[in-house]
Amino acid sequence: DDVLSAQQGGALAWMSRGNNLDPQFEQVVSSLKVGEVSAPVRTKYGFHLIKLLGMKPSELQPFGKVKRQVQDTLSQQKAEQILAAESDKLSSLTYANPNTLSVAAQALSVPVKTTEFFTRDGSHEGMASNPKFVAAAFSPDVIRGNNSDMISINPQKLVVLRVQERTPATTKPFSEVKDK
């Protein structure tokens, strides 16, 4: 019934020790011999019957062969650490200064950007085309004049918004909409 492996008859891809989803699962796999089936095992994902289909010895790769992969992995980890640290600062500064974005912008050396007016339906372009951004803009706390919580636009883009100017909804005069 496993969502990840059901289409492969329950078979999982090759795994390395220490890279498994659940320590309990890995412990049972480590104790099995090839072809052996475990007793039922309970993990945070449910119950499992585990059959060890095969083992292959680990291979030590020459550094020259994996250098680029190691560099890419380290760069990715460093970028994630920087993003986490900067997002913590952003969150703390905008929470501590709920009436302005300028303190956080200055401390983090990032610009404050402004959108055009948009409705609860959002916009067709820019930040106001993102449903999370629009929902935050019309949240009660933001409408009252506070900064929003941090919004994850995508894995590399986090924003905090505040309403600079708000125009309440109105009914347009008939003369403006009669042709529509």
Side-chain angles (χ1 to χ4, degrees):
D1 293 338
D2 179 54
V3 177
L4 298 175
S5 67
Q7 293 188 353
Q8 292 86 0
L12 298 173
W14 286 101
M15 303 179 211
S16 300
R17 201 169 282 201
N19 292 335
N20 196 7
L21 300 174
D22 188 282
Q24 179 69 20
F25 190 93
E26 184 173 319
Q27 182 180 355
V28 172
V29 169
S30 297
S31 69
L32 294 174
K33 292 179 176 56
V34 175
E36 197 173 26
V37 178
S38 72
V41 178
R42 183 179 187 150
T43 70
K44 63 184 176 183
Y45 302 104
F47 288 95
H48 310 274
L49 292 174
I50 304 168
K51 180 177 182 180
L52 184 60
L53 300 175
M55 287 178 61
K56 59 182 180 179
S58 60
E59 297 175 16
L60 188 58
Q61 300 285 331
F63 182 68
K65 190 173 182 180
V66 295
K67 181 179 179 180
R68 183 70 182 152
Q69 182 181 353
V70 170
Q71 288 174 326
D72 291 346
T73 300
L74 289 174
S75 294
Q76 181 66 30
Q77 288 173 349
K78 183 69 172 169
E80 288 171 3
Q81 290 171 345
I82 291 169
L83 179 63
E86 295 297 293
S87 66
D88 285 347
K89 287 181 196 174
L90 175 63
S91 183
S92 296
L93 289 167
T94 55
Y95 181 78
N97 301 283
N99 300 319
T100 184
L101 294 175
S102 61
V103 173
Q106 192 171 16
L108 297 170
S109 300
V110 295
V112 174
K113 297 183 179 180
T114 304
T115 68
E116 296 295 322
F117 280 97
F118 58 92
T119 67
R120 289 181 187 269
D121 295 328
S123 171
H124 295 293
E125 56 189 39
M127 292 300 277
S129 65
N130 184 295
K132 293 179 195 175
F133 185 85
V134 174
F138 287 95
S139 68
D141 202 39
V142 171
I143 288 175
R144 280 194 294 273
N146 293 313
N147 294 331
S148 72
D149 290 333
M150 198 161 17
I151 306 159
S152 178
I153 301 298
N154 62 46
Q156 294 84 31
K157 189 175 224 173
L158 303 169
V159 298
V160 174
L161 70 84
R162 70 174 290 96
V163 173
Q164 183 177 1
E165 187 178 347
R166 183 173 177 269
T167 303
T170 60
T171 303
K172 292 183 179 181
F174 180 72
S175 61
E176 282 185 33
V177 295
K178 72 179 179 179
D179 294 337
K180 294 179 183 178

